[in-house]
Amino acid sequence: MTTYATTPAAPDPAAPLRKGPAAHDGTAVHVRGLVRAFAGRRVIDGLDLDIRPGEFVALLGHSGCGKSTLLRILAGLDRDIEGAVTVPRRRAVAFQAPRLLPWKRVWRNVVLGLPGRADRVLAERYLAEVGLGQRASVWPKTLSGGEAQRVSLARALVRRPDLLLLDEPFGALDALTRSTAQRLVGELWARHDCAVLLVTHDVEEAVLLADRVLVMRDGGIAHEAAVDLPRPRDIGAPPFVALRTALLAQLGVGATGPAAADATA
């Protein structure tokens, strides 16, 4: 049996303020017994997942483990599934490739797909949030990689999502641009009070941004770690390093394996 349901969108607050996961009731994402198979091979096999409203969750795992498949299912882009999936009606996705239409100005890319007449004022408001208020009229080909990714984030946020899905959005960026983009995402999450699922290969990025880090293996969630560290986070602090090391071990990096990582955590 397959159930794919969406919860009603919450009313837009005039001035959203982040209250944190503990201030919310209910669940933004509820997944039970999820199965997704390709040519008879189960990439996702009986997966269970809950994400609280306003919670930032990072998902780690080796290539091919089903991370992006799970994200596409939550986005509603793949419904050939078994199990039960409940997600907010209002959700948005930012992929690793910005996927901007080159024949439309930047501001038009931001409001692309929204109902009604294209609203430039609305587009410029969200471009300003990502630091591109002065680039609304340019063509996408004039943007740097980091700028294009920020436009992609603006396009996601303009939909006022209750669930923001990020599929390795910083993977193609250089180290300095990536660091700036990570900081921006943290600020936007705090401002917009939405649940976030970040798919990433970068363990440090996961610990830097998330409230909770999940490791996906064998078609399910094999390990879960709460990130109870104050923000902004110091990547050199011993608790940060210890958690990063334990997660790397869960991924098979280093001398220890998953069992040792569980003991460390």
Side-chain angles (χ1 to χ4, degrees):
M1 178 177 135
T2 297
T3 304
Y4 193 100
T6 57
T7 56
D12 287 343
L17 295 174
R18 173 165 168 70
K19 300 178 182 179
H24 296 279
D25 294 323
T27 305
V29 173
H30 182 74
V31 178
R32 287 295 178 271
L34 178 62
V35 175
R36 179 63 168 105
F38 295 91
R41 174 178 172 263
R42 291 191 173 194
V43 174
I44 298 176
D45 189 6
L47 182 142
D48 295 334
L49 173 65
D50 288 317
I51 299 177
R52 298 188 302 273
E55 184 182 21
F56 198 126
V57 175
L59 183 62
L60 297 167
H62 293 288
S63 295
C65 74
K67 302 187 304 298
S68 292
T69 298
L70 174 60
L71 182 139
R72 288 177 59 83
I73 291 169
L74 298 182
L77 301 175
D78 182 353
R79 299 197 182 192
D80 188 11
I81 62 172
E82 298 176 25
V85 176
T86 303
V87 290
R89 186 176 306 277
R90 212 170 52 200
R91 56 201 189 279
V93 189
F95 295 98
Q96 181 174 342
R99 302 186 180 185
L100 305 181
L101 299 183
W103 57 88
K104 288 185 178 289
R105 303 279 184 179
V106 162
W107 75 268
R108 289 189 178 276
N109 269 280
V110 171
V111 293
L112 185 68
L114 291 182
R117 185 177 179 179
D119 186 339
R120 178 165 181 160
V121 173
L122 181 66
E124 289 180 344
R125 171 185 161 193
Y126 281 87
L127 284 169
E129 280 207 54
V130 299
L132 293 175
Q134 304 303 313
R135 304 284 276 162
S137 296
V138 306
W139 298 106
K141 68 179 180 181
T142 67
L143 300 174
S144 68
E147 288 174 332
Q149 196 56 264
R150 281 188 275 162
V151 174
S152 177
L153 286 171
R155 184 174 57 193
L157 291 171
V158 77
R159 285 150 175 79
R160 302 300 296 272
D162 295 311
L163 174 63
L164 178 60
L165 300 161
L166 304 175
D167 193 4
E168 300 190 59
F170 319 124
L173 304 180
D174 63 80
L176 182 58
T177 305
R178 185 185 186 103
S179 177
T180 301
Q182 289 168 345
R183 184 170 59 252
L184 175 63
V185 164
E187 293 170 355
L188 292 171
W189 166 69
R191 190 178 306 145
H192 286 272
D193 193 25
C194 58
V196 176
L197 178 65
L198 168 67
V199 169
T200 179
H201 282 99
D202 188 330
V203 174
E204 185 171 288
E205 177 175 278
V207 179
L208 186 67
L209 291 172
D211 294 315
R212 188 161 51 108
V213 180
L214 309 177
V215 177
M216 193 168 177
R217 186 169 58 245
D218 299 327
I221 304 302
H223 181 74
E224 175 179 331
V227 188
D228 189 18
L229 301 175
R231 299 175 186 271
R233 290 170 179 162
D234 178 2
I235 63 174
F240 189 105
V241 174
L243 182 53
R244 180 180 61 198
T245 301
L247 288 167
L248 284 169
Q250 282 290 333
L251 294 166
V253 179
T256 56
D262 282 335
T264 303

